[in-house]
């Protein structure tokens, strides 16, 4: 019985079929019967088979171990040995695998690769390379990861802010860490492009949901103290070098977002805006317009487009005519200041925007409005273009006729390249760039030229 297991892989696949007593004897002995079943070709080795160091001696060992047994094991082991020895593809495959293993630089002990943009749901843990000592992540790294995630995926703010706050609540347990958190959020909100809006929303949420509230000041109070320090440097920053002015302008726009989103609970539980920021924005606008260079004026225009309607309403409620004074000052700058043509155009557009009540339409007035008593009656109507590129709206006396003609033309050319015709009409229409876009494009061209000359 032990001899049956002392053989090479694949050997002895034939079975000794017992003789049937009902069949007549054919005169075959057991050796001739085995020879008949062993005429099949042995199974090939697997392609991914890696021979062990002792595999080459399997056949020899089998022959020696089965010397006193039947001839079946001898013939099978000999056949297996011949197949391995006469298969050049198998030997070439083994040599190719060995060369790939030797030349490979992959390591099973290499650290796991995680892209920086992937959001970690839990606080990441760190260990030394050769030690099991736990290293807690720093607050700066954790906050930057959170802010980077919100910057790249602002639409995830509502679903992720609760988790972010819970992690910060478990981490920020001292006044020092709370102050560091305020500094980190302020720095990143003024440094990351277009993050001021999300940063202000995050500040408002944390001001209501962070558990730590020491006597020295809670999150909102520390944030306002940080903004106060930057506010006091406004006269120096507005006259500083371009980098200083850029940081100051980022602070101004972030403060505008804070005014719109930061809410403070009153004694009765109602949520109100931080009125202290209202007076701060007034002083900042005066500071920007006192030095009417292009960069400062552009910042003032952006701030008024962002907060103009809210500031106007708040000043009217207090009986403060500051917005009228501000508009008069802007009109004076348009006439007297040596600003560029594009900046002057931006100021004129801002004055026009304020004259239309910052683009707002009252519901009651809109219901009673007619083309005769409301000059902005057709303001929100779509603009169409005729075949030769002439624009027309609902205010056009021939609107119905032109609109019907346009619809018929689109239906007729639907299957004959009508879309290409419309694209050509749009290409022929010479539309000027927005002043802000044109200004940014000119700055980009100048910077590119300077880099090329360097």
């Amino acid at each position: 019985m032990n001899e049956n297991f002392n053989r090479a892989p694949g050997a002895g696949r034939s079975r000794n079929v017992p003789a049937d007593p009902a069949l007549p004897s054919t005169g075959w002995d057991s050796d001739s019967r085995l020879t008949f079943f062993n005429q099949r070709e042995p199974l090939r080795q697997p392609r991914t088979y890696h021979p062990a160091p002792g595999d080459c001696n399997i056949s020899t060992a089998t022959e020696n171990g089965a010397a006193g047994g039947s001839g079946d094991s001898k013939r099978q082991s000999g056949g297996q040995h011949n197949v391995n020895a006469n298969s050049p593809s198998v030997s070439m495959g083994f040599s190719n695998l060995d060369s790939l293993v030797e030349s490979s630089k992959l390591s099973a002990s290499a650290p796991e690769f995680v892209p920086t943009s992937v959001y970690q749901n839990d606080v990441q843990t760190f260990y030394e390379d050769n030690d099991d000592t736990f290293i807690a992540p720093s607050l700066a790294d954790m906050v930057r990861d959170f802010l980077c995630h919100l910057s790249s995926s602002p639409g995830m703010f509502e679903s992720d802010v609760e988790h972010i706050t819970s992690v910060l609540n478990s981490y920020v347990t001292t006044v020092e860490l709370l102050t560091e958190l305020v500094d980190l959020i302020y720095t990143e909100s003024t440094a990351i492009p277009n993050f001021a809006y999300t940063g202000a929303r995050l500040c408002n949420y944390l001001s209501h949901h962070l558990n730590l509230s020491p006597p020295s000041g809670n999150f909102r109070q520390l944030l306002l103290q940080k903004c106060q320090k930057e506010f006091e440097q406004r006269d120096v920053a507005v006259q500083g070098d371009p980098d200083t002015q850029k940081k100051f302008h980022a602070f101004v726009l972030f403060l505008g977002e804070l005014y719109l989103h930061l809410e403070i609970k009153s004694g009765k539980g109602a949520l109100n805006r931080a009125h202290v920021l209202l007076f701060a924005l007034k002083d900042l606008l005066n500071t920007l317009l006192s030095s009417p260079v292009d960069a400062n004026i552009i910042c003032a225009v952006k701030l008024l487009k962002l907060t103009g309607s809210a500031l106007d309403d708040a000043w009217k409620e207090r009986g403060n005519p500051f917005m009228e004074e501000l508009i008069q000052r802007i009109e004076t700058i348009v006439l007297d200041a040596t600003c560029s043509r594009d900046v002057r155009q931006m100021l004129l557009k801002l004055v026009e925007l304020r004259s239309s009540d910052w683009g707002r339409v009252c519901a009651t007035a809109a219901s009673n409005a007619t083309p005769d008593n409301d000059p902005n009656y057709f303001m929100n109507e779509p603009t169409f273009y005729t075949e030769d590129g002439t624009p027309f709206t609902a205010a056009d006396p021939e609107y119905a006729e032109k609109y019907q003609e346009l619809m018929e033309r689109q239906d007729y050319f639907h299957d004959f390249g009508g879309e290409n015709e419309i694209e050509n009409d749009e290409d022929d229409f010479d539309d000027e760039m927005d002043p802000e876009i044109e200004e940014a494009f000119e700055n980009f061209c100048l910077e590119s030229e300077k880099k090329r000359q360097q």
Side-chain angles (χ1 to χ4, degrees):
M1 180 175 182
N2 293 333
E3 292 179 356
N4 294 333
F5 292 94
N6 187 15
R7 60 176 182 267
R13 287 188 299 272
S14 61
R15 295 181 298 232
N16 295 331
V17 181
D20 191 346
L23 293 176
S25 176
T26 58
W28 289 0
D29 55 8
S30 60
D31 290 341
S32 62
R33 198 177 302 124
L34 288 174
T35 303
F36 174 77
F37 286 104
N38 288 339
Q39 290 178 355
R40 293 177 300 174
E41 182 181 358
L43 295 176
R44 64 172 177 82
Q45 290 286 348
R47 294 184 179 179
T48 58
Y49 173 75
H50 294 275
D55 284 354
C56 59
N57 298 325
I58 288 178
S59 299
T60 305
T62 305
E63 291 176 0
N64 295 336
S70 64
D72 177 35
S73 298
K74 294 181 182 179
R75 283 186 289 271
Q76 290 295 339
S77 62
Q80 182 72 20
H81 179 74
N82 292 336
V83 171
N84 292 336
N86 298 327
S87 300
S89 62
V90 174
S91 60
M92 290 178 62
F94 293 160
S95 62
N96 292 337
L97 288 174
D98 293 339
S99 63
L100 287 175
V101 172
E102 293 176 357
S103 62
S104 175
K105 297 181 180 179
L106 299 177
S107 174
S109 61
E112 181 182 2
F113 170 74
V114 179
T116 56
S117 60
V118 174
Y119 173 58
Q120 301 295 331
N121 290 327
D122 298 318
V123 179
Q124 189 178 7
T125 58
F126 300 87
Y127 292 87
E128 292 286 354
D129 294 339
N130 299 323
D131 194 2
D132 292 337
T133 305
F134 171 77
I135 302 177
S138 65
L139 178 64
D141 293 335
M142 185 170 55
V143 171
R144 289 192 183 98
D145 287 342
F146 287 151
L147 298 184
C148 181
H149 166 67
L150 293 178
S151 176
S152 59
S153 304
M156 301 293 292
F157 180 87
E158 297 292 343
S159 59
D160 294 340
V161 68
E162 184 177 354
H163 168 73
I164 293 173
T165 305
S166 64
V167 174
L168 292 177
N169 274 326
S170 63
Y171 202 99
V172 179
T173 56
T174 63
V175 178
E176 291 75 12
L177 289 175
L178 182 61
T179 304
E180 183 182 358
L181 175 63
V182 170
D183 293 339
L184 286 169
I185 294 180
Y186 171 83
T187 302
E188 297 299 323
S189 297
T190 56
I192 301 177
N194 302 322
F195 189 69
Y197 167 75
T198 305
R201 294 179 66 196
L202 179 62
C203 289
N204 178 62
Y205 192 90
L206 293 178
S207 67
H208 294 287
H209 296 87
L210 274 183
N211 297 331
L212 183 63
S213 181
S216 59
N218 55 23
F219 178 87
R220 184 186 68 253
Q221 292 169 342
L222 292 177
L223 176 64
L224 293 178
Q225 292 174 12
K226 176 70 175 178
C227 294
Q228 176 67 23
K229 293 179 181 179
E230 299 294 332
F231 173 78
E232 293 173 353
Q233 303 296 325
R234 63 188 184 280
D235 294 329
V236 178
V238 78
Q239 301 287 346
D241 56 86
D243 291 337
T244 304
Q245 288 185 358
K246 184 177 180 181
K247 294 179 181 178
F248 174 66
H249 297 158
F251 160 71
V252 170
L253 296 178
F254 177 63
L255 203 67
E257 294 286 2
L258 278 180
Y259 175 71
L260 296 177
H261 296 96
L262 188 62
E263 297 174 330
I264 301 177
K265 283 186 178 181
S266 63
K268 298 180 180 180
L271 294 176
N272 300 312
R273 288 196 174 104
H275 295 297
V276 64
L277 298 179
L278 178 66
F279 303 101
L281 292 175
K282 173 184 176 181
D283 293 338
L284 288 173
L285 285 169
N286 282 329
T287 302
L288 289 170
L289 296 179
S290 64
S291 178
V293 296
D294 287 357
N296 291 334
I297 294 177
I298 291 175
C299 180
V301 170
K302 289 181 179 179
L303 179 61
L304 286 173
K305 284 184 176 181
L306 176 66
T307 63
S309 59
L311 294 177
D312 203 354
D313 294 341
W315 286 327
K316 286 180 179 179
E317 291 177 1
R318 296 171 178 268
N320 192 333
F322 178 69
M323 184 58 72
E324 285 74 12
E325 298 174 0
L326 188 64
I327 295 299
Q328 292 178 2
R329 190 171 182 179
I330 290 175
E331 292 174 349
T332 303
I333 292 175
V334 172
L335 297 176
D336 300 338
T338 58
C339 55
S340 63
R341 176 181 60 85
D342 294 332
V343 173
R344 186 177 290 107
Q345 185 69 19
M346 290 173 59
L347 292 174
L348 293 175
K349 291 288 186 180
L350 179 65
V351 174
E352 181 181 354
L353 180 64
R354 199 263 174 172
S355 65
S356 64
D357 194 19
W358 307 100
R360 297 177 295 186
V361 178
C362 182
T364 57
S367 60
N368 299 325
T370 62
D372 298 330
N373 59 21
D374 186 4
N376 297 323
Y377 182 81
F378 297 106
M379 177 184 295
N380 297 324
E381 294 293 332
T383 301
F384 300 96
Y385 296 91
T386 61
E387 186 175 2
D388 57 354
T390 303
F392 68 95
T393 62
D396 194 326
E398 301 177 356
Y399 168 77
E401 180 181 353
K402 291 182 178 179
Y403 183 78
Q404 184 64 28
E405 180 182 353
L406 179 63
M407 293 297 101
E408 292 176 355
R409 176 174 171 272
Q410 287 184 348
D411 293 339
Y412 181 78
F413 288 102
H414 180 71
D415 298 328
F416 299 97
E419 294 181 357
N420 295 332
E421 293 287 338
I422 296 175
E423 291 178 0
N424 293 334
D425 290 342
E426 291 179 352
D427 293 338
D428 294 336
F429 182 70
D430 186 14
D431 188 13
E432 296 183 359
M433 287 192 296
D434 184 79
E436 294 183 26
I437 299 177
E438 188 174 1
E439 182 72 17
F441 179 75
E442 291 177 358
N443 293 334
F444 170 75
C445 294
L446 293 176
E447 292 176 0
S448 301
E449 185 65 24
K450 290 180 181 178
K451 291 181 180 179
R452 255 196 314 270
Q453 292 176 358
Q454 292 175 358

